[in-house]
Amino acid sequence: MSTEYEQKIRRGGGVAEHIREIQDAIGATADELPEEDAEAHHGRRLAEETPYGIDMVNASYVWPKTPVMTEPIKICVVDTGYDLGHEDLPTDGVQGYNQYSELWSDDGNGHGTHCAGTIGAIGGNSIGVTSVNPDPSKFTFYIGKGLKNSGSGTLAGVKAAVEACVEAGAKVISLSLGGGGYSAIDNASYEDIYDQNVLIVAAAGNDGNSAWSYPASYPAVVSVASLTSSGSRSSFSQYNDQVEIAAPGSNVKSTIPGDDKYGTKSGTSMACPHVAGVAALLWSHFPDCTNNQIRNAMINSSVESGSAGWDEYYGWGRVNAGNAYELLKNGCEVAGGDSNPPADEGLSYFALGGKDQGVPQTPTIAPSPIPPCPGAQERFEVQILTDDYPGETTWTLTDKCDASIGEMMSGGPYSTSNTLYSDMSACADDGQQYEFIIN
């Protein structure tokens, strides 16, 4: 039985909070509501427009640089589809995955086309909008029909679309969707994809609360929070310990199907493609880095947006492509950490997510092996369970048969009450007499 995988596009914060954000937003022209609840502002301009989010993530800093990949990086958008033939979207080389008896190249909803436009609307053509990756010769799209034209889908359908992206060779997968609870099977699946050196970016959720939304809250997925044009948190953006990074998501203008061709939407769904686009832009210039290193480079170069360091509302801060590019010039390991997991582990070993992502892991020193007992002796262990007065507990173990040995072991006083101490052992001869005294 399939589980309905609904996008969370009809839930926002309180009216008063929305009004305050509207007053704070720079150039805001409509009430801020998640996605389709916001009245879309359509219309075309004769000259190309740069949506505010493109400047906010500093994508243009990287545009003049020359990618060093042997072939264009492949970016996958799993969503409601793609308006193939749109005047401002790439058509050459775009491929996709069909399901639900619907075509990936037909977006009857508009949500997927809007997200794709933020990632890769064509720049420099004097029409419409530009994007994070405005040069279609430097990347290719793969479109996974993970959601129906209605905007909903199934867990199995989303998973099938993601797997199709991986099989097609996508390096970055953008998931502006969410629904369902935690699944150990799906968690393992996303870890497996991470082990294949693929980076998945997802929307943190639009419920405006601290709940975990999936797939964003799986450790192997980058969870993206939403910002207004003033850089403050969007009221609908979910906050929790898996939120990792933030990007513009309120009143974002991008491509849509139909005669109007361009429209404005709000949601963490709109923030997600900013980060996915930046990840692809960076990776095309530093192809020797792993997915985890690109991920950490974005974190380590992000712009502080809330409290110093990490916080649950903004993660590590606002993504900044220019900062990350300069950091990566110092080397993948300097920018993003180790790329060699321990034996029998994959890259998902480094995928901790949210507040723990990118934090250097302290190597665990293996305990020294306990040497075997000589001859016929056998090893025994002393375990002490303290009471409410651990500072008054001491003990000794004495060999009563061999005076030259005398006291063999001792312990205490202890510092923690009601705690089992069991790291003490010694070798003993069978048949010997030993005296154990506890005080």
Side-chain angles (χ1 to χ4, degrees), residues 3-9 35 77-82 97-104 106-112 115 143-162 174-179 269:
T3 301
E4 194 68 13
Y5 200 95
E6 296 283 354
Q7 289 185 89
K8 297 177 178 177
I9 62 177
E35 303 178 24
V77 181
V78 174
D79 213 290
T80 58
Y82 182 85
Y97 174 79
N98 300 319
Q99 62 177 336
Y100 307 120
S101 299
E102 297 178 357
L103 299 176
W104 64 264
D106 178 22
D107 183 6
N109 182 282
H111 189 270
C115 293
I143 308 300
K145 188 81 170 183
L147 299 173
K148 304 172 188 176
N149 288 333
S150 64
S152 65
T154 63
L155 291 169
V158 171
K159 187 174 181 180
V162 170
S174 182
L175 300 178
S176 290
L177 45 79
S269 286

Side-chain angles (χ1 to χ4, degrees), residues 341-428:
D344 301 325
E345 297 282 358
L347 287 167
S348 60
Y349 170 82
F350 299 115
L352 303 178
K355 66 181 179 63
D356 296 322
Q357 182 63 35
V359 178
Q361 299 183 54
T362 303
T364 301
I365 301 175
S368 300
I370 299 175
C373 292
Q377 289 187 332
E378 295 183 1
R379 183 172 296 280
F380 69 93
E381 182 180 37
V382 176
Q383 295 185 337
I384 301 295
L385 178 62
T386 59
D387 56 14
D388 293 335
Y389 306 97
E392 299 177 5
T393 304
T394 60
W395 60 271
T396 58
L397 180 68
T398 305
D399 187 328
K400 300 299 292 183
C401 297
D402 189 342
S404 64
I405 296 177
E407 184 179 297
M408 298 173 59
M409 299 170 61
S410 64
Y414 298 98
S415 58
T416 307
S417 61
N418 303 306
T419 300
L420 181 67
Y421 291 83
S422 59
D423 58 349
M424 300 150 289
S425 65
C427 296

Side-chain angles (χ1 to χ4, degrees), residues 14 28 42 105 148 232 269 288 318 417:
H42 304 304
S105 54
K148 304 172 188 176
S232 61
S269 286
D288 293 335
R318 170 166 45 90
S417 61

Side-chain angles (χ1 to χ4, degrees), residues 38-56:
E39 180 182 356
H41 290 263
H42 304 304
R44 299 175 56 186
R45 298 184 180 183
L46 296 178
E48 184 175 69
E49 180 180 351
T50 301
Y52 80 89
I54 308 305
D55 288 334
M56 187 175 280

Side-chain angles (χ1 to χ4, degrees), residues 180-200:
Y182 174 85
S183 164
I185 294 176
D186 287 345
N187 182 55
S189 177
Y190 285 115
E191 286 184 348
D192 179 66
I193 293 171
Y194 206 87
D195 288 338
Q196 298 177 60
N197 202 25
V198 176
L199 186 62
I200 298 181

Side-chain angles (χ1 to χ4, degrees), residues 145-351:
K145 188 81 170 183
L147 299 173
K148 304 172 188 176
N149 288 333
S150 64
S152 65
T154 63
L155 291 169
V158 171
K159 187 174 181 180
V162 170
E163 290 173 349
C165 296
V166 177
E167 292 175 4
K171 297 296 290 180
V172 178
I173 302 176
S174 182
L175 300 178
S176 290
L177 45 79
Y182 174 85
S183 164
I185 294 176
D186 287 345
N187 182 55
S189 177
Y190 285 115
E191 286 184 348
D192 179 66
I193 293 171
Y194 206 87
D195 288 338
Q196 298 177 60
N197 202 25
V198 176
L199 186 62
I200 298 181
V201 182
N206 296 330
D207 282 348
N209 57 28
S210 61
W212 288 320
S213 178
Y214 294 96
S217 293
Y218 290 120
V221 178
V222 180
S223 179
V224 184
S226 174
L227 303 174
T228 68
S229 59
S230 65
S232 61
R233 168 184 164 263
S234 303
S235 63
F236 52 76
S237 187
Q238 282 173 232
Y239 50 94
N240 52 60
D241 61 4
Q242 280 298 311
V243 168
E244 191 163 315
I245 203 162
S250 292
N251 299 316
V252 173
K253 189 171 186 177
S254 186
T255 51
I256 59 172
D259 294 338
D260 289 323
K261 299 187 183 302
Y262 306 94
T264 299
K265 295 180 184 291
S266 293
T268 54
S269 286
M270 284 61 253
C272 171
H274 282 92
V275 175
V278 168
L281 182 65
L282 295 170
W283 216 346
S284 67
H285 290 82
F286 302 95
D288 293 335
C289 295
T290 66
N291 54 354
N292 196 72
Q293 289 172 327
I294 294 295
R295 180 180 187 176
N296 287 349
M298 291 192 294
I299 288 173
N300 294 333
S301 61
S302 61
V303 178
E304 290 283 2
S305 297
S307 303
W310 177 91
D311 70 67
E312 61 185 357
Y313 298 105
Y314 302 93
W316 292 98
R318 170 166 45 90
V319 66
N320 186 297
N323 289 357
Y325 180 90
E326 288 299 319
L327 181 60
L328 283 161
K329 284 169 59 177
N330 297 304
C332 296
E333 290 198 358
V334 173
D338 194 4
S339 61
N340 299 306
D344 301 325
E345 297 282 358
L347 287 167
S348 60
Y349 170 82
F350 299 115

